[in-house]
Amino acid sequence: SFATGLLILAAWGCQSTPVPTAPPPDLPASTDAASPDVLAERAAAAGTSKQAATLYLQSARLYYDENQQAAARQSFSAIQVADLEDADLAAYLLLNAELAIAVGDYPRARASLLTIDANDLSDPLRLDLTEARLLAAEGRPASAARRLMSVDAPTNDVTAPQAVNDAIWKYLNQLSALEPGASTASSEPIEQGWWSLRRAMLESFSLADQIARLSSWQKAWPNHPATTNLPSGLKAVTAEIRRPARVGLLLPLSGSLSRAGRAVRDGFITAYLRFGRNASFNLTLYDTASDSVSNLYEQALVDGMDLLVGPLRKESVVEINGLNPELPVLALNYLTTEQPAPNLLQVGLAIEDEAESIAARLERDGAKRLLVLHNDESWAIRASRTLRSQWQAPLTQQTVMDLKTITESVGAGMFVAASESRRNELSEVLREDLQFLPRARGDIDAVVALITNIEANALVPALRFHFAQNLPVYASSQAVRGASPQDLRELSGFLISELPWFVVENSTYTEMNEAFGLSADPLSPLYALGVDAFRLCDRLPLFSSGAIAQLLGSAGALRMEEGGRFKREMAWGRVVNSQLAPASRTTGR
């Protein structure tokens, strides 16, 4: 009712306003011909009348639709709510919710939306889109997408169905590529179609394969809303884009790094031979161990390359970045502090991505206090540093210097030494020898193990010795890399951050494992990197433009960040019966 709305609005007026973020609305274009500036001027001239309130509301609405958030808030704050007509209150409450979402005030937005009757709105679709936007802002993109999948967009507005489908696709793309989504068997037909489309696009192996999968999907779902109004991002996929005709691989194929270079090469070429019949490019190999990167880059220009994939060494990536290349370059390692050149994109196997995946998983599982055990290798130190930077709750770090001292390291992390020290102090005060069993701390929720497979096997009895065997252990992929079935048996129950192709059913991995023996090869991540490089190379412009949001890759779920850096999210496995089995994305606590 109007009175209820006034009471809620009065309460809002006493709250402080968060810092605005001003996201653009996912709405059809406004058809109001009057400019918001003119409406605001008319409202100011009208004084405190009902006409002024209506004009300020119209002005604020148009400002918001034009993404002029500051001006929208100014006009909105000038509205005298008591002067609004009853018919305008629902529109006022809806705009209030939209402005609240823009500044991150989600409770205010939720309270406002709960008071709105869709029948009081001239455009009920706005309410549907705003409720979905709030769900996504609250971190529930799957719920936001489902909220719109059941919406019947009005047919009298040709832009409305497209706006709904674009919003659904945007929210589906906000989900991790590793998120399975809804069970298509238990969902409504329209929802089944959306999840099926998402899966087909994430798993596509090349641009040609993606277009073919999209065409097959449209034939299978001829009456689906997304077939009638294809999401704009997918329209870009089917549009003509300039694909590379000649691709050069810059890899160390001789010298000390030749095994690593050949692993990437074999992954790339295996993918090329499997799907290359639809690829539009020819391939040329350049050995970065035989000449300088700058000389090889000049040779690639002479050879007419359209895209370079590589180099692999970090120092070589810095070198080619310094050339400010005119050719697009997909580097296979990351710059550290250097500003990337406009044509340089980066994908790789950064341990920092794995550490961030572990932190995100721990947060989803509800862990609060961590014991982080890491060895003194550079990758483990970098991973522990990243994990600490991502973790806001209490965290204890302990370095595992060698196998002989791993029990002592666990004891130190569990404060067993402190318990013994208190016993000794008390014994001195009482001047008698006390019967005593050292006790480990009981406030740890989880152990994070950034150690090798050999060290992980020594960790199990160390945890048991200190009565910590029931603590969940989250380990990086190095804990199982090259592990035998017997090794895995010792790690039963460990949760492992791992490459997707080890834990997600993948025919490419199956074929490559038979050819190269990847399951026992410590270089297997480099094969995966080569496969992903192939899958990216003819779709880089679509990633750069935002038409493609992410890819379920072999080395990780890949999403492009600002600066052209592809970030990996790891899959999760659990050691069960001497094997690494797929694990759900959360265990709950």
Side-chain angles (χ1 to χ4, degrees), residues 29 127 151 192 210 237-238 295 322 343 349 351 386 462 476 480 558:
L127 180 60
V151 168
Q192 290 179 30
Q210 189 166 1
V237 168
T238 60
N295 285 344
N343 279 333
L349 301 172
I351 190 62
T386 299
S476 62
V480 297
L558 302 175

Side-chain angles (χ1 to χ4, degrees), residues 283-320:
L283 190 61
T284 301
L285 298 178
Y286 298 92
D287 183 5
T288 56
S290 66
D291 206 345
S292 68
V293 168
S294 57
N295 285 344
L296 292 175
Y297 174 74
E298 292 298 327
Q299 184 61 50
L301 289 176
V302 172
D303 294 342
M305 295 297 115
D306 300 309
L307 170 68
L308 295 178
V309 177
L312 184 60
R313 291 177 67 245
K314 184 179 288 287
E315 295 82 0
S316 298
V317 175
V318 173
E319 183 179 352
I320 201 167

Side-chain angles (χ1 to χ4, degrees), residues 47-291:
T48 58
S49 65
K50 293 183 180 294
Q51 182 185 17
T54 300
L55 289 170
Y56 273 127
L57 178 59
Q58 293 173 353
S59 170
R61 163 57 64 204
L62 288 177
Y63 277 131
Y64 178 83
D65 288 352
E66 294 176 2
N67 202 24
Q68 299 186 56
Q69 300 291 323
R73 289 192 298 274
Q74 183 174 353
S75 282
F76 188 81
S77 64
I79 298 170
Q80 296 296 318
V81 182
D83 289 339
L84 282 173
E85 300 285 351
D86 285 357
D88 288 333
L89 182 59
Y92 179 93
L93 291 168
L94 178 56
L95 182 55
N96 181 72
E98 292 172 293
L99 291 169
I101 294 170
V103 297
D105 191 350
Y106 307 142
R108 172 182 147 204
R110 177 67 60 194
S112 185
L113 290 173
L114 288 173
T115 65
I116 300 174
D117 185 340
N119 295 322
D120 294 336
L121 292 168
S122 60
D123 183 7
L125 179 60
R126 276 191 181 273
L127 180 60
D128 298 318
L129 289 165
T130 303
E131 287 179 346
R133 193 178 312 119
L134 176 57
L135 288 167
E138 291 173 332
R140 295 186 284 168
S143 297
R146 292 190 190 97
R147 173 68 181 81
L148 295 178
M149 288 177 189
S150 59
V151 168
D152 291 323
T155 56
N156 61 340
D157 182 354
V158 294
T159 66
Q162 189 68 54
V164 170
N165 288 356
D166 285 352
I168 291 172
W169 193 242
K170 181 179 75 172
Y171 298 140
L172 290 178
N173 280 321
Q174 287 177 7
L175 288 168
S176 164
L178 293 162
E179 179 70 53
S183 170
T184 55
S186 62
S187 55
E188 294 297 319
I190 289 178
E191 187 175 339
Q192 290 179 30
W194 279 111
W195 292 113
S196 172
L197 176 60
R198 173 181 179 267
R199 185 171 59 253
M201 296 300 95
L202 285 174
E203 295 175 353
S204 60
F205 220 84
S206 65
L207 180 57
D209 182 43
Q210 189 166 1
I211 293 172
R213 286 175 183 248
L214 178 57
S215 177
S216 296
W217 182 88
Q218 289 173 314
K219 291 175 182 176
W221 298 86
N223 299 317
H224 194 274
T227 299
T228 309
N229 290 279
L230 193 66
S232 298
L234 294 180
K235 289 179 182 178
V237 168
T238 60
E240 283 295 323
I241 64 169
R242 185 176 180 272
R243 305 186 197 179
R246 300 178 184 85
V247 174
L249 268 180
L250 293 168
L251 294 170
L253 302 176
S254 60
S256 60
L257 292 177
S258 60
R259 287 189 63 218
R262 289 198 296 268
V264 175
R265 176 201 65 188
D266 291 347
F268 190 101
I269 291 180
T270 300
Y272 179 81
L273 292 176
R274 187 179 184 197
F275 293 94
R277 63 186 181 277
N278 294 321
S280 59
F281 58 83
N282 295 317
L283 190 61
T284 301
L285 298 178
Y286 298 92
D287 183 5
T288 56
S290 66
D291 206 345

